[in-house]
Amino acid sequence: MKRYINILLATAALVGFVSCNDEFLELKPKGSLTEASGFATYETCTDYSLNLYNVFNGPHANPAAIYFQGPTVNYNSGLGSSQRDIWSGLLTQYTNGYSTVPNSYADQSVTIPTTSVAYSYPYSVIRTANILLEHLADANLTDAEHKHLEAVARFFRAYCHYALMLNYGDCIYVDKVLGENSEELQSPRDSRLYVADQIYKELQWCADNIQDNLAEPNTVNSDVVKAFMSRFCLFEGTWRKYHNVAESGEYVTGTQLLQKCVEVSKALADKFPTLYTGDNNDKHPGKGWGQIWTTENLGKVPSVLLYVKHVQDKKMHRLGHYEHIASACLEMPQSTVDLYLTADGLPIHNANVKTYDYNGITRTYTESATPYDYANADSYKTFRKRDPRLWQMVTPPYHVLSVGGTNDWGMDESNDGVYSEFVHQFAPRGKDNGNGTWTSPNFNAGYHQIETHKSLPSTNWAGNVLWGVPHTQMSDASNRYVNGKTGYFDGHGFQRGKSGYFVWKHVANWDKQFASGTADISDKPVFKMEEVLLNYAEAAFELGQFTQGIADATINKLRDRAEVGRMTVSAIGNDFDPDRDPSVAPVLWEIRRERLVELMGESFSFDDVRRWKKGDWYVNKHHYGAWVNADNLDAVVSRTGGQTGVMDNTTHLEATPAVAAAQGGGHLYYYLDPVKAGKGWLDKYYLMPIPTEELLLNSNLQQQDAWK
């Protein structure tokens, strides 16, 4: 019987065992096992190896998940896969109170922990891998079986040493099972040069020896090994460059790492030339990007190399559910919205950028006779003709009519049809009653009541309609969507924040959800070609090899799938984006922008800004919200009770009525500017501090110099 493992592995204990059938995971206890009997055959060794895959699961199985670079899925909170995107300043956890700095790194509130799973958990997985490696000689294995199991164990050992190096730099490298008296327990940290060299050699061995014919579907194979090599080599190669790491001829160099990144990334790009463009149920542009995170079966998606499989009643999550209930706490600040290009592929302040007016009768767009600034316009204009990845990351603006019960709604074609602009771009949510009204289903009742992945209006788990976006958590006052005004202070008990930009990355209409439980079954990617293509582009640039041909093979593949204007390398000069960090080359800035946008909400960005040594540029951004026109200021509630609730663009404090009027409105104001508050990024944050308990246990372990 062929065994489909599918990474349903959170239930596997350290020496527990898992067996599967052709459809999905079945848990079959095999009784009490000893080390001698547990490593007797290829099957029992493989069963044991499944424990290693827990590093890809959320904190209910792996509390260290948020400390691993990549899509670290947090199943048990509204932060979803975005924890490290909050630390980077790209996203905001809006549970913080008024007049605070919502990012712990920007607020300088990060302290040395007593203990940390970021330190301890990788070593526990390394031990699991080393136990397997130690016992392979005891098993009855063919040469191919031995090589394959060894490669799998060494892959995870490399993966966890990488997690330690990523967070701490220097770390103790462990390549054998340790006992109570092992001298390594009292060792000083090994240099990151040595650790990186060991990881590099380990992954190269894995790539050369793993047996793809023995790899079960959706487990580690040579493609997954190369994808991880691509990630590791880019990170360490660029870290060496931007942190001016002094290298030794004894170990692999940063240049060699970048060359290997290009080599393995190109090989994968040639092997997997097709990106997923989505199924036919959705009609909105760029649907393939969003559906990677909201599909029931990533096994059909050609660009996904490894994923976490979810199955009804066996392994479920609540990521989408969290994003539209009262516990939701994730949103996007205006500074990140401004990163997204226009649909034409231009930065919003490029001299040639176009703005558009919308005709609600014909549902068409014409170029604006009076241009506006995408960064300082109402939400409808801000979202209009933008990169569709913004629409699928953040709930677009809309307003619908209440026509009966809490689940019944109708199109609001007032305001010249603008209120329904994005409802038509997506799809009406629920059952069409045939009289201009719809009824949103109660998702508590079962799966697949709506076939589309995303649609508008947004609802909660019971199908209660959110009448309009944006709105905020400021108040529950009466509905204010009248006479062209947007109610920034009205709403319901769900999807209320401070910025007006609510994250809905994981929302899948067809997923079953209920008030406080776990029922979502959309799969989640771990390694995918989109990341590999971005690694390829960036490494090629760092080596001076980036050309239009490589842009077409990488960035423009992503742009085509997202339905965004293509990158023309020769057109990107110093004036291409006036908002660019002037210390970053114009083309590299665009490659980095593409990475931040494509991988938004997947927890890569904190490690990206650290390796670029750009913590201050990103983390110090002021988290203010959507623009409110001057004639709509009465729809905002000020937390001070005496001002306007919008920002003074000059002082980055709350605007007075006179300033707001002079500005023509203002951005929703709730959080402090970290720099003006005397806070902001500290360079010691580039590496995490060693937990104090570890220092007490090992007298030769020294605290990071910057944290002493």
Side-chain angles (χ1 to χ4, degrees):
M1 177 183 294
K2 193 171 186 179
R3 303 173 341 117
Y4 285 83
I5 299 173
N6 285 331
I7 317 301
L8 289 156
L9 302 167
T11 53
L14 183 61
V15 291
F17 293 87
V18 179
S19 180
C20 312
N21 66 14
D22 287 345
E23 297 300 325
F24 48 76
L25 181 71
E26 292 179 353
L27 302 179
K28 296 181 178 179
K30 294 189 175 182
S32 177
L33 298 172
T34 66
E35 286 193 3
S37 63
F39 298 99
T41 67
Y42 178 71
E43 181 182 17
T44 56
C45 289
T46 300
D47 285 342
Y48 176 88
S49 74
L50 300 186
N51 293 283
L52 298 167
Y53 287 84
N54 276 313
V55 297
F56 301 133
N57 284 315
H60 67 290
N62 167 17
I66 61 172
Y67 298 103
F68 286 79
Q69 187 195 50
T72 54
V73 178
N74 187 342
Y75 291 107
N76 296 319
S77 85
L79 303 182
S81 56
S82 303
Q83 175 65 70
R84 289 169 89 86
D85 296 305
I86 294 170
W87 295 346
S88 71
L90 289 187
L91 298 175
T92 302
Q93 182 181 1
Y94 70 65
T95 53
N96 301 78
Y98 172 78
S99 196
T100 63
V101 177
N103 181 340
S104 57
Y105 285 90
D107 192 41
Q108 300 180 359
S109 58
V110 179
T111 59
I112 300 174
T114 302
T115 62
S116 174
V117 289
Y119 192 93
S120 61
Y121 183 79
Y123 281 119
S124 72
V125 179
I126 289 168
R127 178 176 175 80
T128 302
N130 284 335
I131 288 173
L132 176 58
L133 290 168
E134 185 177 86
H135 284 282
L136 288 180
D138 303 332
N140 182 19
L141 302 172
T142 67
D143 182 62
E145 290 171 340
H146 190 289
K147 284 183 177 179
H148 183 68
L149 288 167
E150 183 176 352
V152 170
R154 291 177 69 166
F155 169 87
F156 282 102
R157 186 167 69 182
Y159 187 84
C160 289
H161 278 114
Y162 168 66
L164 289 163
M165 188 190 73
L166 178 149
N167 286 319
Y168 300 101
D170 298 348
C171 61
I172 301 172
Y173 188 84
V174 181
D175 60 0
K176 63 182 180 182
V177 178
L178 302 183
E180 291 183 1
N181 299 315
S182 295
E183 61 182 20
E184 288 84 357
L185 296 177
Q186 292 297 314
S187 294
R189 291 188 290 162
D190 295 301
S191 74
R192 75 178 299 138
L193 293 176
Y194 171 76
V195 175
D197 192 68
Q198 294 300 110
I199 294 170
Y200 178 76
K201 291 175 179 176
E202 189 114 270
L203 291 177
Q204 188 61 60
W205 190 95
C206 293
D208 293 340
N209 289 279
I210 200 164
Q211 307 293 302
D212 285 346
N213 62 314
L214 293 179
E216 299 283 353
N218 196 31
T219 59
V220 174
N221 58 23
S222 62
D223 298 327
V224 174
V225 172
K226 290 175 183 176
F228 178 48
M229 289 184 76
S230 173
R231 178 185 298 178
F232 156 70
C233 289
L234 178 69
F235 180 90
E236 183 61 10
T238 51
W239 182 283
R240 301 266 183 99
K241 175 179 178 178
Y242 293 107
H243 289 264
N244 297 313
V245 175
E247 296 186 315
S248 165
E250 184 180 359
Y251 305 119
V252 64
T253 67
T255 297
Q256 290 171 326
L257 288 166
L258 292 172
Q259 290 169 339
K260 177 60 70 171
C261 178
V262 168
E263 175 190 324
V264 296
S265 300
K266 184 179 186 304
L268 288 173
D270 291 342
K271 184 175 181 179
F272 298 97
T274 303
L275 297 183
Y276 185 53
T277 56
D279 63 33
N280 294 325
N281 293 327
D282 285 329
K283 64 180 183 179
H284 49 268
K287 59 188 178 182
W289 183 87
Q291 285 187 14
I292 282 184
W293 290 87
T294 61
T295 186
E296 187 178 8
N297 181 16
L298 281 179
K300 68 180 181 180
V301 176
S303 64
V304 175
L305 306 178
L306 189 72
Y307 62 95
V308 179
K309 180 67 182 172
H310 295 96
V311 173
Q312 183 177 351
D313 298 328
K314 294 188 177 291
K315 179 175 172 61
M316 301 178 290
H317 63 87
R318 58 184 304 194
L319 297 173
H321 171 56
Y322 259 120
E323 288 178 349
H324 53 174
I325 61 172
S327 297
C329 60
L330 189 63
E331 60 184 349
M332 182 180 286
Q334 182 71 47
S335 58
T336 303
V337 173
D338 294 344
L339 276 177
Y340 286 81
L341 299 172
T342 67
D344 298 328
L346 295 176
I348 60 170
H349 292 139
N350 182 280
N352 297 315
V353 77
K354 296 178 180 179
T355 58
Y356 295 88
D357 295 324
Y358 175 71
N359 186 318
I361 297 175
T362 61
R363 300 181 192 172
T364 58
Y365 294 90
T366 57
E367 190 172 349
S368 300
T370 305
Y372 53 84
D373 181 355
Y374 282 100
N376 297 287
D378 71 74
S379 294
Y380 292 92
K381 291 180 178 179
T382 296
F383 274 70
R384 191 169 295 160
K385 289 287 186 176
R386 294 294 288 276
D387 182 337
R389 288 173 290 192
L390 174 60
W391 304 355
Q392 295 175 58
M393 185 69 195
V394 175
T395 310
Y398 69 86
H399 182 253
V400 296
L401 301 173
S402 175
V403 295
T406 56
N407 290 29
D408 300 318
W409 63 275
M411 292 283 188
D412 184 352
E413 300 292 359
S414 64
N415 195 22
D416 298 323
V418 169
Y419 284 147
S420 61
E421 177 179 353
F422 292 98
V423 179
H424 294 308
Q425 291 278 1
F426 283 77
R429 175 173 293 188
K431 176 185 175 183
D432 186 347
N433 298 321
N435 58 356
T437 68
W438 285 260
T439 298
S440 176
N442 183 337
F443 290 94
N444 182 50
Y447 296 99
H448 297 287
Q449 297 169 91
I450 295 180
E451 291 185 350
T452 57
H453 288 243
K454 278 183 168 55
S455 61
L456 293 174
S458 181
T459 66
N460 71 350
W461 61 274
N464 296 330
V465 175
L466 183 67
W467 306 116
V469 167
H471 71 268
T472 71
Q473 200 175 21
M474 302 301 187
S475 172
D476 278 325
S478 61
N479 205 339
R480 281 297 189 91
Y481 289 85
V482 294
N483 299 323
K485 290 192 175 185
T486 300
Y488 289 94
F489 66 92
D490 73 319
H492 298 284
F494 57 99
Q495 283 196 323
R496 296 181 303 164
K498 278 81 175 182
S499 76
Y501 298 122
F502 302 102
V503 169
W504 69 334
K505 182 181 179 76
H506 294 279
V507 170
N509 293 329
W510 55 267
D511 256 341
K512 181 180 179 181
Q513 298 159 5
F514 55 98
S516 59
T518 298
D520 297 17
I521 56 173
S522 48
D523 294 343
K524 303 301 173 186
V526 175
F527 288 103
K528 55 192 175 79
M529 283 304 304
E530 288 80 356
E531 180 203 346
V532 173
L533 295 179
L534 292 162
N535 298 344
Y536 181 12
E538 188 177 342
F541 182 90
E542 295 290 0
L543 292 170
Q545 300 172 3
F546 190 73
T547 63
Q548 186 62 50
I550 293 180
D552 291 340
T554 58
I555 302 296
N556 284 334
K557 275 195 172 184
L558 302 172
R559 296 270 186 95
D560 290 346
R561 191 269 297 278
E563 300 181 51
V564 181
R566 307 185 102 221
M567 172 186 280
T568 302
V569 177
S570 61
I572 303 173
N574 287 328
D575 60 349
F576 188 73
D577 182 8
D579 300 325
R580 171 177 59 89
D581 177 349
S583 69
V584 179
V587 173
L588 180 59
W589 179 258
E590 296 308 314
I591 292 172
R592 290 180 177 182
R593 180 208 305 276
E594 193 71 24
R595 181 179 184 87
L596 294 174
V597 166
E598 178 69 28
L599 301 179
M600 187 70 67
E602 300 179 27
S603 276
F604 283 96
S605 62
F606 184 65
D607 303 301
D608 288 335
V609 303
R610 287 169 60 240
R611 66 185 173 87
W612 297 333
K613 207 173 182 182
K614 287 293 177 183
D616 54 349
W617 177 270
Y618 291 95
V619 176
N620 289 351
K621 298 286 187 184
H622 185 194
H623 284 187
Y624 52 86
W627 180 267
V628 182
N629 288 330
D631 64 356
N632 207 23
L633 289 174
D634 61 343
V636 179
V637 171
S638 169
R639 284 295 179 177
T640 66
Q643 299 297 312
T644 58
V646 297
M647 186 182 71
D648 182 323
N649 287 344
T650 301
T651 65
H652 275 223
L653 299 172
E654 188 172 7
T656 64
V659 168
Q663 293 179 164
H667 290 278
L668 292 172
Y669 176 80
Y670 195 87
Y671 298 123
L672 295 178
D673 181 318
V675 176
K676 291 184 179 298
K679 304 286 188 176
W681 176 264
L682 299 174
D683 281 353
K684 69 179 183 179
Y685 295 151
Y686 283 114
L687 292 173
M688 286 186 173
I690 307 296
T692 55
E693 185 175 274
E694 302 297 336
L695 299 175
L696 293 173
L697 292 171
N698 180 354
S699 60
N700 291 310
L701 196 60
Q702 297 295 311
Q703 184 57 271
Q704 309 277 17
D705 289 341
W707 285 89
K708 290 180 179 178

